[in-house]
């Protein structure tokens, strides 16, 4: 469908969905690679955010909406919801 | 004086939920209590948005309006779907009575005195509602969807309680 423009050795980046419902972040994909993306899907009735503790991402998620974070860097990224800080999780991004 | 008032309010609320526990509230009663409890917090938040100029207080109040309205909309849709008519009861009547007294007291305060009293009251109020959800409303609910909504409500209100505690501590 399209010709890859990047270096031939680069693995295809993937997009994963993390569902938010009933005041909880759903299961986070275990084997994330740099270049992958996470789509935050808020199926809850409340407005939430996916906010990295280190400030590297901050996605506003009104009820019923989605938002996307592209994982540019490797590392361990703790995140939580700004409004409900008890909602939290960790993204582990490897090479 | 403000802490004395709050303790009185909390005490009668506890008594109200204890009396509901003794007889075991029905689903129509539980729905009415939960909806009323949410509405009271929305009203208090609207008062705060009218009166307070403090950003932290206004942000908190906006969150209370948004979250509690969302739960109450869901609750209304659920009772409609289940053909349940929410039924007024001693607990919800007591809640309304206490809320009117709290509102009258808060309405007389201004500036930081208002901010402080609002935050203290929000801590006490969420604590009381969470207690009632945990000990009475959730265990007594017989419909699975109602129970699940109350459980989400408990998680939400516990977050609000923590947030209110931080807000209240910031004034000390
Ligand atoms: Cu949230």
């Amino acid at each position: 469908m399209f010709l890859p423009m990047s270096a031939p050795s680069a693995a295809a980046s993937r997009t994963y969905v993390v569902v938010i419902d009933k005041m909880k972040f759903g299961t986070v994909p275990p084997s994330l690679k740099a270049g992958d993306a996470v789509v935050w899907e808020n199926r809850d009735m409340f407005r939430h955010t996916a906010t990295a503790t280190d400030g590297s991402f901050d996605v506003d998620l009104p009820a019923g909406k989605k938002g996307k974070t592209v994982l540019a860097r490797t590392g361990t990224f703790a995140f939580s919801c700004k409004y409900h800080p008890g909602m939290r999780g960790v993204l582990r991004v490897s090479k | 004086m403000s802490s004395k008032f709050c303790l009185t309010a909390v005490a009668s609320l506890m008594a109200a939920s204890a009396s509901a526990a003794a007889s075991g509230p029905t689903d129509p009663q539980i729905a009415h209590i939960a909806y009323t409890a949410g509405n009271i917090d929305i009203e208090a938040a609207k008062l705060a948005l009218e009166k307070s100029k403090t950003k932290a207080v206004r942000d908190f109040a906006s969150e209370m309006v948004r979250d509690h309205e969302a739960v109450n909309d869901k609750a209304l849709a659920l009772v409609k779907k289940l053909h349940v008519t929410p039924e007024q009861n001693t607990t919800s009547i007591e809640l309304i009575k206490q809320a009117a007294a709290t509102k009258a007291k808060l309405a007389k305060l201004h500036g930081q005195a208002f901010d402080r009293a609002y935050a203290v009251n929000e801590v006490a109020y969420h604590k009381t509602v969470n207690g009632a959800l945990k000990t009475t409303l959730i265990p007594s609910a017989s419909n699975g969807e109602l129970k699940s909504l109350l459980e989400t409500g408990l998680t939400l209100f516990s977050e609000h309680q923590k947030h209110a505690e931080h807000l209240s501590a910031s004034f000390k």
Side-chain angles (χ1 to χ4, degrees), chain A residues 15-32:
Chain A
T15 298
Y16 298 89
V17 175
V18 173
V19 172
I20 302 163
D21 199 10
K22 297 187 172 167
M23 293 291 295
K24 282 186 193 81
F25 285 103
T27 315
V28 164
S31 52
L32 291 165

Side-chain angles (χ1 to χ4, degrees), chain A residues 23 47-49 81-84 87:
Chain A
M23 293 291 295
R47 179 174 169 185
H48 297 297
T49 72
C81 168
K82 266 195 286 203
Y83 303 117
H84 315 109
M87 296 173 59

Side-chain angles (χ1 to χ4, degrees), chain A residues 22-24 44-47 83-87, chain B residues 63 66-67 70-71 74 148-149 152 155-156 159:
Chain A
K22 297 187 172 167
M23 293 291 295
K24 282 186 193 81
D44 214 352
M45 63 185 114
F46 310 111
R47 179 174 169 185
Y83 303 117
H84 315 109
M87 296 173 59
Chain B
E63 187 187 325
R66 192 171 67 228
D67 286 352
V71 188
K74 245 322 194 275
S148 161
L149 182 59
T152 303
T155 312
L156 177 78
E159 286 293 320

Side-chain angles (χ1 to χ4, degrees), chain A residues 17-86:
Chain A
V17 175
V18 173
V19 172
I20 302 163
D21 199 10
K22 297 187 172 167
M23 293 291 295
K24 282 186 193 81
F25 285 103
T27 315
V28 164
S31 52
L32 291 165
K33 307 258 184 251
D36 286 351
V38 168
V39 169
W40 311 95
E41 187 179 332
N42 183 5
R43 288 192 200 156
D44 214 352
M45 63 185 114
F46 310 111
R47 179 174 169 185
H48 297 297
T49 72
T51 306
T53 310
D54 70 358
S56 57
F57 58 88
D58 183 10
V59 185
D60 185 31
L61 299 162
K65 301 282 184 209
K66 292 178 193 176
K68 192 172 174 180
T69 298
V70 176
L71 306 162
R73 293 184 290 124
T74 61
T76 300
F77 304 94
F79 62 89
S80 61
C81 168
K82 266 195 286 203
Y83 303 117
H84 315 109

